[in-house]
Each structure stands twice: as structure tokens, then as C-alpha cells.
Amino acid sequence: MVEVAAAARRSAQPSLRRRLLAFLLIPVGVLLLLDALLTYGVALAYSNHVHDRDLGDDALTLAQMLRGDRLEDTVSPQARFLLAYDPDEGSYFSVRSRLHGVLADNAQFRQIAPPPVDQPPVLYDATLGSHKLRVAAVSIRPDFDPRDTLTVTKAETLADRHRRAREILLMAVPLQTLLILGVLSLVWFGVDYGLRVLQPLTARLAARGREITPIGEEDVPQEILPLTRTIDALFMRLRDTLALQERFIADAAHQLRTPLAGLSLHVERALADDSPQTLRDALGHMRRLTLRAARTSAQLLALTRAQSPLAEPATHVPVDLARLVPEAVSLRVPEALAARIDLGYHGPPGPLPVNGDAASLHEMLDNLLDNALRYAGPGSSVTVSLVASPGGGVRLRVEDDGPGVPDALLSRLGERFFRVPGTNEEGTGLGLAIVQHIAERHRATIRYLRTAQHGLSVEVQFPPPAAA
């Protein structure tokens, strides 16, 4: 049953060989039918030509035979026998004299005006009841009466013509069928042989194991180059994703090792001394270490999302920064008041649209505010501002009047796990790295500057919505 189900699945899958053969067999079958119709038409035309010539010759021969007879009201018995003789039983005749009228006939069919005397026979179509006839008429002058004109008309049905055409068709169709079968055999062999060019590529891919490097183009046919290039692009994205996953695991192990070791130390301390003061002090340290581990984990996940190659810019939609930024700033006001920091916002009243993802932009602003509130210090001020750029973009600025960053270290801001030496505040060194990657996803540029009050100013320049 398993083998039957597997065979059914294989037969249901699309096959390039079946597709090519079906694409060729159907037109070839139609071509064979059209060829049969064309052959029959040509054969019928040839049969009509031969029969017309013979019919005209018969009419002319009969007229020449009657030229020397003395004709009055009828023809001689010998002439009537020749006129009535018909081996195919589908022949009709008529002999008319201009002076004596109808001398002999065996059917009443349509007659035309007598053709010119002593000219080649005239052929035309006529009907006799439900039968179609082909008629040949010729006119001569009798030898015994030059005043008279003798018109001999010979007619026959079309049955023998069609019979001869069918005979020719039956002789031609088998030969044409054999020829087409030979062509199809060559096509079958050609398709099978042509698909063998994929075997080296298949063998090379099968031998790679878990390797996800690009396929390359050395043995790839031109027709499937677009497919292999698409697979190569997929491999590149997959490799980037795996590398990002490995980096996340390594970063998590590195960053969480210290908080976890601290937690273990304080747990052992609390177990060794159960005095209330020791327990309170250990629990306080454990709380701070737990918050630090949770923050580190959250920022590592945020950095991984920002770096992920699956976060395509094509999913970006228009976002109004003039609405998003004030809302994000207002959520951090209680935190700023608790830290004795003056947090403010300045921006135009009108909308300032950019193309982006609202959640990512909110996360970027949160990290900028978190960095400013954490390192500016009590008694300082943090200002968030939005300005419409002359070229149609938007500039977001977060500046503070705290201790700032030395000029020599400004270029290193945004690196993963980089922290300014001498900083006493706890941090992971990931906040500005997250900001950097989110800005790159939005085609924005970042500048780190010292303010006039020796603080830090972070400027994010967004492009116009159309350019983004």
C-alpha cells in the first residue's frame, strides 16, 4: 500500500518529460489530421483534373464519330450503343441538332448554350435530381449538312472522383503515419537525451550533503539558470538566517552567563545564611540580575529581528511619524520623572509620513529614549524632535545634555556590545545596534554628534516615502 501511495504521488506530480511530450504529441496529432484533410483535397483536385480531361476527350471522340453519320431524327444503333455504354453506371449523354432537335439522350439535365463550333470541350457543373454532375459539351458541323450544328453533351456523377481521392488518401495516410511515428520516436529520444544534461547537476547537488553554498553556473543549462539563481538567492538568505541564529545563540550564552552565575551565587549565599538581612540582600541582587537577564534577552531578540533577512522592506506601509513619535515619548514620561530627567518633544503640527513598519519604528525610538534616559543622568534633559527635510524626507533627532561620548568613540556607537568606557550604568551595548539595523531596514541614515552642551545627539534621516 505504501508503494502504491508513493507511485500515485509521483504520478500526480508535474513531469517535465510528460509536459514536453504532451506539448509535442497534441500538435503532431492535429498536424496529422490537417495533413489527411489536405491530402484528400489534393487527391480530389487531381482526380477532378483527370476525370475532366477524360470526360472532355469522351465528348470530343463521340462528336468526331457522329460527324460522318447522316443524322435526321435519331442516331445510328452503333452510335447509341457507344453513347449508352457506361462501365461505372453513372454516365449520361445528350446529342442535339440545331435543325432536328434532340437526337438521343438518357437523362434530362441542365444544358447551356451550344459552345463554339470546333472548339475544345466546355466543362460545367449540373444537377440531376439529388445528384451532382460534371458535364462536358462540344459542338461540330456534320459532314453531310454544313448548315447544321451538332452538340454532344457527356455528363457523369462525382462518385468515381471521390472514390479515387479516397483510394489515394488510403495509400498516403499509412506512409504519413509511419513518418510521424518516426518523428515522435526521435522526439522521445531527443527529450530523454536532452534531460540527461541535468544529471551532473543533480549528482553534484546530491553529493553536497548539508552544504548550502551557491550552486554556481559551470554545469547549469541556460534554460534553468533563472531557477538555479533563485535557489542561490534562497541559499544566501538561509545561510544568513542560520548565521544569525548561531550568532544569537552565542550572544545569548555570552550575555546571560554573568547574570546566571550571579543568580547561582546569591542563591547559594541565601541558602548558607538564612538571616533576614542576608535573604533581603540576596533577593535584591537576584531581582536586579533577573531584570538584567530579561532585558538582555529582549534586546537580543530585538536585534535578531532587526537583522533578520526575512524582514523585507516590501512589507512597509506609510507611517505618520508626527503621530507615532509623540505617543512613544508620552509613554516614557513617568520613567523620566522618576529619574529626574526633563523629557520633551518638538515637532510640526502637520503629518510627516515615511514608509516603514510602525512596530519597528516604535522599537527604534524606544531604544533611543532608553539610551538617552539611562546615560544622561539625573537633572539632565532629553529632547525628541521631528523636522521635515527640504528634499521631502523626515529627520528624527534625540539629544541630551548629559556627559556625552568622546569624539574618538562616536564612530563606534552602533556596534554590538560596545559600551563607552567608564560608564557606571548597567547595559547590554545592544540598544544603538538595534537602532542601526532598524534604520538600515528603512533606508535611513544615522549620525552621532556632540551637542553644544557636550551631550549626545542621534539623528535619523528618513528618505521621502517614494524613494523608500
Side-chain angles (χ1 to χ4, degrees):
M1 291 297 293
V2 176
E3 294 181 355
V4 173
R9 285 196 300 270
R10 286 195 299 270
S11 62
Q13 290 179 336
S15 169
L16 182 60
R17 178 180 283 102
R18 288 199 302 266
R19 185 183 179 91
L20 290 174
L21 291 175
F23 181 78
L24 293 172
L25 284 173
I26 294 175
V28 168
V30 174
L31 182 63
L32 177 61
L33 178 61
L34 294 177
D35 182 69
L37 295 176
L38 180 62
T39 301
Y40 183 77
V42 172
L44 184 59
Y46 178 75
S47 177
N48 285 332
H49 174 73
V50 172
H51 280 74
D52 283 351
R53 185 182 60 190
D54 292 345
L55 184 62
D57 290 345
D58 290 345
L60 186 60
T61 300
L62 290 173
Q64 294 294 339
M65 183 188 66
L66 295 174
R67 181 191 295 271
D69 290 349
R70 183 181 294 277
L71 303 174
E72 292 182 357
D73 294 331
T74 185
V75 296
S76 63
Q78 296 83 356
R80 179 176 291 275
F81 173 79
L82 293 176
L83 288 170
Y85 176 73
D86 180 15
D88 297 325
E89 297 181 356
S91 180
Y92 306 94
F93 67 90
S94 172
V95 179
R96 292 174 177 271
S97 170
R98 185 171 63 85
L99 299 179
H100 305 287
V102 177
L103 302 181
D105 64 5
N106 65 347
Q108 300 293 325
F109 52 87
R110 183 175 67 88
Q111 302 282 336
I112 63 172
V117 179
D118 296 330
Q119 294 296 321
V122 175
L123 290 102
Y124 60 95
D125 296 322
T127 57
L128 179 62
S130 61
H131 298 287
K132 293 183 178 180
L133 303 178
R134 186 64 171 170
V135 184
V138 62
S139 296
I140 61 171
R141 294 193 184 278
D143 293 339
F144 293 96
D145 191 353
R147 298 171 304 163
D148 197 3
T149 300
L150 188 65
T151 301
V152 178
T153 304
K154 182 75 171 176
E156 64 181 12
T157 62
L158 304 182
D160 189 58
R161 298 167 183 249
H162 289 282
R163 189 181 306 114
R164 298 293 179 265
R166 287 193 295 270
E167 291 174 357
I168 296 174
L169 177 64
L170 292 177
M171 289 188 295
V173 166
L175 297 177
Q176 293 171 348
T177 303
L178 291 176
L179 178 62
I180 289 178
L181 290 177
V183 171
L184 291 179
S185 300
L186 292 176
V187 169
W188 180 282
F189 174 77
V191 169
D192 186 70
Y193 181 79
L195 292 177
R196 292 179 190 174
V197 73
L198 300 177
Q199 293 178 356
L201 176 61
T202 304
R204 182 161 62 87
L205 292 177
R208 297 177 66 175
R210 298 184 179 182
E211 185 181 355
I212 56 173
T213 55
I215 297 174
E217 301 181 359
E218 62 270 13
D219 58 351
V220 179
Q222 293 182 357
E223 290 74 13
I224 64 170
L225 269 178
L227 174 62
T228 58
R229 287 170 180 168
T230 303
I231 295 175
D232 284 346
L234 177 62
F235 280 171
M236 293 295 292
R237 293 195 295 271
L238 180 60
R239 188 168 61 178
D240 292 343
T241 303
L242 293 177
L244 186 62
Q245 180 182 13
E246 293 175 359
R247 186 190 304 170
F248 171 77
I249 295 173
D251 291 344
H254 179 269
Q255 293 297 314
L256 296 178
R257 181 170 51 196
T258 300
L260 292 177
L263 284 172
S264 177
L265 177 63
H266 288 291
V267 168
E268 292 176 359
R269 177 187 170 194
L271 292 174
D273 186 357
D274 58 355
S275 63
Q277 182 62 32
T278 302
L279 290 175
R280 183 182 300 275
D281 184 64
L283 289 174
H285 282 87
M286 291 170 64
R287 180 177 182 275
R288 286 193 297 273
L289 290 172
T290 303
L291 292 176
R292 179 181 174 184
R295 174 175 171 76
T296 301
S297 301
Q299 288 207 311
L300 283 172
L301 289 173
L303 180 62
T304 303
R305 285 195 303 268
Q307 292 177 322
S308 174
L310 302 179
E312 293 294 337
T315 59
H316 290 175
V317 296
V319 178
D320 185 10
L321 290 184
R323 181 177 180 180
L324 183 145
V325 173
E327 292 177 354
V329 171
S330 65
L331 295 176
R332 304 301 294 266
V333 170
E335 181 182 345
L337 293 175
R340 293 186 294 115
I341 295 175
D342 182 14
L343 177 60
Y345 167 76
H346 295 290
L352 294 174
V354 296
N355 275 354
D357 175 63
S360 298
L361 292 174
H362 195 287
E363 186 173 21
M364 180 184 71
L365 184 57
D366 265 348
N367 280 277
L368 288 174
L369 290 173
D370 186 75
N371 184 78
L373 296 176
R374 183 177 295 274
Y375 297 106
S380 60
S381 63
V382 176
T383 304
V384 181
S385 60
L386 284 175
V387 179
S389 300
V394 180
R395 180 179 301 170
L396 168 67
R397 181 185 294 114
V398 179
E399 58 182 355
D400 61 72
D401 56 0
V405 178
D407 292 337
L409 300 179
L410 287 175
S411 60
R412 298 196 60 187
L413 296 178
E415 294 181 5
R416 295 165 60 248
F417 305 115
F418 173 75
R419 300 185 65 208
V420 177
T423 302
N424 296 324
E425 291 291 333
E426 292 185 358
T428 61
L430 295 175
L432 293 181
I434 295 172
V435 171
Q436 187 79 32
H437 284 288
I438 293 177
E440 291 175 357
R441 288 289 184 190
H442 291 76
R443 306 293 189 265
T445 57
I446 296 182
R447 291 201 308 165
Y448 301 99
L449 306 170
R450 287 179 62 86
T451 65
Q453 294 80 20
H454 305 289
L456 178 64
S457 174
V458 182
E459 292 184 356
V460 184
Q461 178 65 51
F462 291 94

